Amino acid sequence: MSGLPKCPQCGSEYAYEDGVMVVCPECAHEWAKDAAATTDEARVVRDSNGNVLADGDTVTVIKDLKVKGSSSVVKVGTKVKNIRLVEGDHDIDCKIDGIGAMQLKSEFVKKI
């Protein structure tokens, strides 16, 4: 579409240009066009111990996690293979045996 970045504050994809600024219509956050390009490149996802995570890594869960909309729980020590990093609050996309596809927060996993 327009090639503009998502809002760094709320993640809205409906940002628009206003002169030299980019404006988010949902949260009214404004930022410079040049600043938006540099923040995407500097994004680094770290696990609970501070290790840098990358696509394809294997991690373990460090805390029992309730699965939203279900009575099942992801237990401590569950091994998750072949993670994929994504944008957003839950920054890990993965498949867990016995549960299926889900998203995890990097603060609840550690790299193996």
Side-chain angles (χ1 to χ4, degrees):
M1 290 175 63
S2 65
L4 290 173
K6 292 183 179 180
C7 175
Q9 190 166 352
C10 71
S12 172
E13 58 187 31
Y14 301 110
Y16 62 91
E17 289 184 63
D18 186 23
V20 295
M21 301 294 284
V22 180
V23 181
C24 174
E26 294 184 10
C27 69
H29 180 68
E30 296 181 8
W31 67 98
K33 282 191 273 189
D34 298 337
T38 59
T39 56
D40 290 340
E41 296 171 10
R43 183 173 179 271
V44 175
V45 177
R46 297 184 182 271
D47 69 356
S48 62
N49 294 335
N51 299 320
V52 177
L53 296 174
D55 287 344
D57 282 346
T58 300
V59 296
T60 45
V61 178
I62 63 165
K63 177 183 175 184
D64 282 348
L65 301 173
K66 296 179 183 177
V67 178
K68 191 173 185 178
S70 173
S71 61
S72 60
V73 175
V74 178
K75 297 284 188 180
V76 171
T78 302
K79 193 174 186 180
V80 181
K81 298 178 185 177
N82 199 20
I83 65 169
R84 190 171 55 113
L85 302 179
V86 294
E87 295 287 328
D89 187 32
H90 292 74
D91 43 12
I92 297 174
D93 224 4
C94 61
K95 284 186 181 178
I96 298 177
D97 294 338
I99 295 176
M102 65 183 308
Q103 292 184 327
L104 300 172
K105 290 186 177 184
S106 59
E107 62 194 61
F108 298 122
V109 298
K110 72 176 181 179
K111 188 174 183 178
I112 295 181

